[in-house]
Amino acid sequence: MRRRETESIKDLIQEFLKLRKLDKPLFEKKIVNAWSKVLGENISEYTTDIIVRNRKLYVTLSSSVLRHDLFLSRDEIMQSLNKYVGCDVIDEVVFR
């Protein structure tokens, strides 16, 4: 006997995460992990800390020159990170 109303495992897991309110922390972790993949290893070497809080990505950098360059392109960085994760997780990027 075959069931007609089958669901994919992906949909079931997403529904479970949403029900338990675990989807936001999961996407925030994906954003933090995507930083080095989206921006590259060179920028990751100067990154000391990355935190997501209240839909803002806080990035601490050890180079003031790099901080200024990234500040000028923060909108593109935000869009690239959200696109990489596949969801609008962050609304703003703050460099420290």
Side-chain angles (χ1 to χ4, degrees):
M1 187 159 94
R2 194 174 215 196
R3 291 186 179 196
R4 301 251 185 240
E5 298 177 17
T6 60
E7 294 184 47
S8 70
I9 292 189
K10 178 183 176 183
D11 294 337
L12 290 173
I13 290 173
Q14 287 178 348
E15 184 178 324
F16 175 77
L17 290 174
K18 202 176 268 189
L19 182 68
R20 300 284 181 183
K21 297 184 180 182
L22 297 173
D23 55 343
K24 286 184 182 180
L26 181 65
F27 284 127
E28 290 173 356
K29 181 67 175 165
K30 285 183 179 181
I31 285 282
V32 171
N33 291 339
W35 177 260
S36 63
K37 294 176 182 136
V38 172
L39 292 161
E41 291 298 320
N42 292 335
I43 293 176
S44 294
E45 290 178 11
Y46 294 101
T47 304
T48 57
D49 194 22
I50 304 172
I51 299 171
V52 177
R53 191 177 297 139
N54 296 329
R55 297 185 57 91
K56 291 183 183 179
L57 179 68
Y58 295 95
V59 181
T60 306
L61 299 166
S62 61
S63 170
S64 61
V65 175
L66 180 62
R67 184 181 316 123
H68 179 71
D69 288 345
L70 293 178
F71 177 79
L72 295 176
S73 61
R74 66 186 183 271
D75 291 332
E76 292 87 12
I77 293 170
M78 178 189 65
Q79 291 172 357
S80 297
L81 288 169
N82 282 333
K83 184 178 178 182
Y84 186 85
V85 172
C87 178
D88 286 340
V89 179
I90 55 173
D91 295 328
E92 187 178 349
V93 180
V94 178
F95 295 104
R96 299 179 180 172

